[in-house]
Amino acid sequence: MEWFPAMPLEDWIGTKETVHRFTQIVGKVRLATSVRRNHWWNVPFHLTGRGITTRPSGGFDGTPIFTVDFDFAGHRLIVNRLDGHSVSFGLIGQSVASFHRNLFEALEDLGVEVGIEAVPFGLTDGTPFAQDTKHADYDPAMVTRYWQILSQVNLVLERFSAEFCGKISPVHHFWHTFDIAVTRFSGRSAGPEPQADPVTREAYSREVISSGFWFGDDAMPWPAFYSYTAPEPAGLAEEPLRPEQAAWLPQRGSHLAVLRYDDARAHDDPVATVLDFLESAYQAGARRAHWDSELRTSPPGVTDPVLEQEPPEAPAGGA
């Protein structure tokens, strides 16, 4: 499969709006049944070989240990309990309302009792999930492609992550904004405004530079790679970005470094192009915010004081 196949937003906007709400319902179940981690790291989805997963949840207060997986190759939602029992149902033809009902019936069948705030988070249409019969589009080919692109971007972000030895998040897929991202930390407190909402206060309690990818929305109706520095240092948008198609775009009083997906696809080596873009945006933020240069490692992924002085070697066959 080619790297970064075409994914115009207009080709699957109805499907995207439906699947986004599916993931919000499952994500809220994960939020309610997982141990809280700093910066909400317990909440996002992780990639699997066939879709995305909540990872094991529950296990405390008498709740069975269970996992909810989206199979975007077979187009099913699977709820697995640790003892091997499982319940699944097809995703094709589901409205948000029927998905919500089927998921909670599956959880009940497996002995999982959980309550969620059953309304969309941060979406313009706030119809409660149980009443939403309007969002019912599901194009299986486009959903499979969405998962395949997520998988490719996941690997690129993992490769980008390998060059940083400070505190760094996992690469994870956020259900509230429907993007995939990785976040680097300077190690310094950021002191968000006390009047900010609790989601924002936890997410931005430390200085960060985040890098990621989204599939487009009403404000920016095209898929793109992005990076931002928070809090944003003075003069950030004056810093150069690579390649030449990348730009700083104003966003809610700050700036996003943006490289459109189609511009990256047009390069002979799109993976190298994206890595170069993310690196240029990181360097811009780290330079302006005066981050410690020792947070970078060379060669990538090595902090062993002996090995880091040696040139990296290709792994031996079969290693």
Side-chain angles (χ1 to χ4, degrees):
M1 181 181 173
E2 66 173 315
W3 277 94
F4 305 150
M7 195 69 171
L9 179 61
E10 60 269 21
D11 285 4
W12 74 303
I13 184 63
T15 293
K16 175 179 175 288
E17 290 298 315
T18 300
V19 173
H20 191 172
R21 285 164 173 79
F22 289 176
T23 64
Q24 287 208 353
I25 296 168
V26 175
K28 285 171 179 266
V29 170
R30 168 67 184 181
L31 174 63
T33 57
S34 59
V35 176
R36 177 166 168 163
R37 294 282 307 279
N38 58 177
H39 316 295
W40 306 112
W41 290 356
N42 59 302
V43 176
F45 292 102
H46 287 192
L47 272 290
T48 72
R50 293 182 66 88
I52 57 177
T53 180
T54 59
R55 293 158 287 153
S57 305
F60 301 101
D61 301 324
T63 302
I65 297 174
F66 70 100
T67 304
V68 184
D69 291 349
F70 284 91
D71 178 351
F72 290 135
H75 304 290
R76 299 191 67 79
L77 192 285
I78 307 164
V79 186
N80 290 298
R81 200 169 63 188
L82 189 61
D83 62 4
H85 289 79
S86 68
V87 178
S88 69
F89 58 88
L91 295 172
I92 299 172
Q94 298 283 352
S95 68
V96 170
S98 65
F99 177 92
H100 177 268
R101 181 181 65 253
N102 289 335
L103 171 61
F104 277 86
E105 288 178 354
L107 291 170
E108 183 179 0
D109 286 349
L110 295 175
V112 177
E113 296 183 7
V114 56
I116 66 171
E117 187 174 351
V119 294
F121 180 88
L123 300 179
T124 54
D125 180 352
T127 303
F129 297 134
Q131 302 171 21
D132 187 354
T133 57
K134 180 180 74 172
H135 293 100
D137 293 334
Y138 191 98
D139 181 332
M142 296 306 289
V143 171
T144 296
R145 179 159 293 189
Y146 142 73
W147 159 66
Q148 290 169 335
I149 292 171
L150 275 180
S151 298
Q152 292 180 334
V153 174
N154 182 85
L155 290 175
V156 173
L157 293 178
E158 290 281 5
R159 185 167 169 181
F160 178 65
S161 300
E163 300 187 8
F164 190 80
C165 68
K167 176 179 174 179
I168 187 168
S169 76
V171 178
H172 39 209
H173 182 27
F174 288 98
W175 48 263
H176 67 298
T177 46
F178 213 60
D179 61 339
I180 183 169
V182 65
T183 303
R184 296 177 174 185
F185 294 77
S186 72
R188 300 190 296 250
S189 294
E193 294 295 327
Q195 64 268 28
D197 65 85
V199 173
T200 300
R201 291 199 308 270
E202 181 63 44
Y204 299 110
S205 62
R206 303 292 187 270
E207 292 182 347
V208 302
I209 299 176
S210 281
S211 306
F213 171 84
W214 76 77
F215 290 91
D217 56 23
D218 291 341
M220 296 183 181
W222 24 260
F225 297 92
Y226 69 83
S227 176
Y228 63 84
T229 301
E232 181 173 317
L236 178 64
E238 300 170 11
E239 291 284 333
L241 293 170
R242 300 184 301 270
E244 63 181 3
Q245 295 95 338
W248 294 103
L249 300 182
Q251 177 82 350
R252 299 175 184 173
S254 57
H255 294 87
L256 280 173
V258 173
L259 174 64
R260 293 194 186 202
Y261 181 68
D262 286 343
D263 288 337
R265 294 181 65 240
H267 282 256
D268 291 338
D269 189 340
V271 171
T273 299
V274 172
L275 289 169
D276 192 40
F277 163 70
L278 297 176
E279 178 64 18
S280 70
Y282 167 75
Q283 289 293 342
R287 186 163 48 246
R288 287 285 181 166
H290 307 292
W291 281 30
D292 183 355
S293 62
E294 293 301 314
L295 292 175
R296 292 191 46 82
T297 63
S298 182
V302 175
T303 57
D304 182 325
V306 174
L307 292 181
E308 69 179 353
Q309 303 302 320
E310 301 175 359
E313 296 182 359

